[in-house]
């Protein structure tokens, strides 16, 4: 028989869960401090020292003072990443189309369907 009751197992698991949540929150606050563009260097250092020296008070003060902007910054960052991704996809799709068009033109020139001057005109049109 075990001398460790089931309620103690539950409470131990609960404490570990709370502990990991706390670590996640502290890391999130520190990452937000360093990613924040509206804070100066000394302000970032001050927030970091406050969070490291007085973790409970520092995190709670940060969440009260700047918590609403954390989500705005994260949302803006996600929108920027999505816009960059969409621009990359658009650019990649467009450049592949240009490559295919140039390959088709070269094939038509080799087959004799178009002459050299027609090839050059079509090539400059595609590349412009």
């Amino acid at each position: 028989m075990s001398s460790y009751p089931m309620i103690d197992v539950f409470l131990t698991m609960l404490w570990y869960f709370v502990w990991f949540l706390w670590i996640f929150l502290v890391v999130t606050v520190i990452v937000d401090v360093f990613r924040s563009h509206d804070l100066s260097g000394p302000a970032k250092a001050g927030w970091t020292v406050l969070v490291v020296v007085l973790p409970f008070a520092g995190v709670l003060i940060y969440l009260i003072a700047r918590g609403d902007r954390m989500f705005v910054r994260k949302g803006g960052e996600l929108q920027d990443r999505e816009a960059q991704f969409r621009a990359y996809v658009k650019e990649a799709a467009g450049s592949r189309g240009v490559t295919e068009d140039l390959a088709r033109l070269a094939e038509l020139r080799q087959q004799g369907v178009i002459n050299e001057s027609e090839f050059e005109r079509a090539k400059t049109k595609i590349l412009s």
Side-chain angles (χ1 to χ4, degrees):
M1 302 239 14
S2 174
S3 64
Y4 200 63
M6 189 59 99
I7 190 72
D8 288 343
V9 171
F10 175 73
L11 290 176
T12 302
M13 290 173 57
L14 182 67
W15 279 113
Y16 277 117
F17 179 72
V18 169
W19 178 250
F20 284 120
L21 277 177
W22 176 251
I23 291 172
F24 177 76
L25 182 61
V26 170
V27 169
T28 301
V29 166
I30 291 174
V31 167
D32 187 65
V33 166
F34 284 103
R35 285 188 176 172
S36 180
H37 297 293
D38 60 335
L39 286 176
S40 64
K44 289 180 182 183
W47 278 113
T48 304
V49 167
L50 183 65
V51 169
V52 170
V53 172
L54 299 170
F56 292 109
V59 167
L60 291 176
I61 292 169
Y62 187 82
L63 289 175
I64 291 169
R66 298 179 51 85
D68 57 338
R69 287 176 261 163
M70 285 175 66
F71 300 110
V72 171
R73 277 190 295 278
K74 188 67 171 176
E77 182 181 312
L78 291 175
Q79 287 176 348
D80 290 344
R81 284 185 185 174
E82 183 179 353
Q84 289 173 355
F85 175 73
R86 288 182 184 274
Y88 170 75
V89 168
K90 186 177 181 181
E91 178 185 332
S95 65
R96 186 179 65 198
V98 169
T99 306
E100 289 174 356
D101 288 345
L102 288 175
R104 243 183 274 132
L105 273 176
E107 187 178 318
L108 289 173
R109 182 182 59 180
Q110 287 175 352
Q111 293 173 354
V113 175
I114 60 174
N115 60 24
E116 189 66 33
S117 65
E118 292 172 331
F119 172 77
E120 289 300 324
R121 272 186 275 142
K123 185 173 91 171
T124 53
K125 184 178 178 183
I126 289 172
L127 293 176
S128 62

